[in-house]
């Protein structure tokens, strides 16, 4: 356990920042589009001091016989990037894969920054409110309790308020601890679970499973259409997709479908049985007998799914801030009532 934790911490420290990875992809994409060979493009990227180390690691790995995805992995690039680059082994389209990585990573960073901007202000307010709540519970309410001892209703109201604040604080603390413990356990236990058990676990997460289904369908359609351009058969494509380890669900589904194809079963009903693949995928395969038409439809479908994912992400992000404010406003009203109600009861008793 200690060795695994040390290795995990080391990997996290070595991981490149998102900004550095994005800038590296932008430079590499621009140089490749201008006709530079890959190694020469990496040499030019070394002109930027912040990118020198990454470019050197990738260059050395390539010269030592590593594939491009392995080289980027050694340079500590994000797994979503190396997953895209894995398929360069089959299609040989370095520039196209780099361009797709760039588009994908730009979108990823865009929504991450949007989420951070939206969540920052509510979190600051919640922190300030928590300090205020602690101060009221520790100093204000006990003083009120002593002040209104002659009023039974006011005293009971203050006691109830203290109990509710204690309950609220305990609930938040327990949920935070459970969340942290759950994340730590998942970090260690995920690699010990079979992919089938992981998929069953993902099914139990209502919101996440919808996004995972869209993402898995997008990746399956994108990579399948890319490999169709090489002239590979369905079976060869699925074998190639099953051999990568950056997209475990895709690899698992590809393995299952390959095994069933070897038994003589058609691919269309097999796709519909996969819980994290959209039914539209099997419809596309059923519609198209021509490889070129299938490739085109899969590309269009991937674009539609991308738009749907972006729409859902923006919907959730824009929903988060009002939800925070509503919850915070409810707590403020609760504190206001807690402080003012005893005074109101006292005034009525005079």
């Amino acid at each position: 356990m200690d060795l695994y934790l040390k290795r995990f911490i080391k990997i996290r420290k070595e991981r490149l920042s998102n900004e550095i990875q994005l800038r590296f992809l932008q430079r590499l994409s621009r140089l490749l589009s201008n006709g530079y060979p890959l190694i020469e493009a990496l040499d030019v990227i070394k002109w930027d001091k912040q990118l020198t180390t990454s470019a050197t690691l990738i260059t050395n790995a390539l010269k030592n016989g590593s594939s491009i995805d392995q080289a980027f992995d050694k340079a500590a690039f994000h797994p979503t990037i190396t997953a895209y680059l894995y398929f360069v082994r089959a299609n040989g389209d370095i520039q196209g894969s780099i361009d797709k990585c760039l588009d994908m990573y730009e979108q990823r960073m865009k929504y991450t920054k949007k989420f951070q901007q939206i969540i920052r202000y509510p979190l600051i307010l919640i922190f300030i409110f928590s300090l205020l709540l602690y101060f009221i519970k520790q100093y204000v309410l006990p003083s009120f309790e002593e002040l209104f001892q002659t009023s039974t209703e006011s005293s009971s109201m203050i006691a109830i308020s203290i109990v509710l604040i204690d309950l609220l604080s305990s609930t938040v603390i327990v949920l935070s601890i459970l969340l942290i413990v759950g994340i730590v356990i998942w970090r260690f236990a995920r690699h010990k679970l079979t992919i089938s058990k992981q998929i069953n676990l993902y099914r139990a997460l209502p919101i996440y499973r919808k996004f995972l289904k869209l993402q898995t369908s997008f990746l399956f359609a994108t990579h399948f259409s890319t490999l169709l351009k090489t002239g590979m058969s369905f079976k060869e494509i699925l074998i190639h997709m099953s051999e990568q380890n950056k997209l475990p669900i895709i690899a698992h589904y590809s393995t299952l479908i390959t095994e069933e194809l070897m038994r003589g079963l058609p691919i269309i009903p097999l796709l519909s049985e996969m819980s994290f693949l959209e039914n539209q995928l099997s419809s596309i395969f059923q519609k198209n007998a021509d490889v070129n038409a299938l490739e085109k439809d899969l590309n269009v479908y991937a674009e539609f799914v991308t738009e749907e994912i972006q729409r859902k992400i923006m919907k959730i992000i824009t929903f988060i801030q009002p939800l925070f404010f509503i919850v915070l406003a409810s707590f403020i009203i609760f504190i206001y009532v807690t402080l003012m109600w005893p005074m109101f009861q006292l005034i009525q008793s005079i």
Side-chain angles (χ1 to χ4, degrees), residues 159-211:
I160 292 172
S161 300
I162 293 175
V163 171
L164 289 176
I165 292 174
D166 284 336
L167 181 61
L168 176 64
S169 303
S170 301
T171 302
V172 172
I173 292 172
V174 169
L175 289 177
S176 300
I177 292 174
L178 289 176
L179 179 62
I180 294 172
V181 171
I183 292 174
V184 172
I185 292 175
W186 176 248
R187 292 281 188 181
F188 288 108
R190 179 177 58 180
H191 302 287
K192 298 180 181 180
L193 294 175
T194 63
I195 186 60
S196 298
K197 291 182 178 179
Q198 291 184 36
I199 290 175
N200 291 332
L201 180 61
Y202 294 147
R203 286 176 186 161
L205 305 176
I207 297 177
Y208 180 70
R209 69 188 178 196
K210 293 181 180 179
F211 281 96

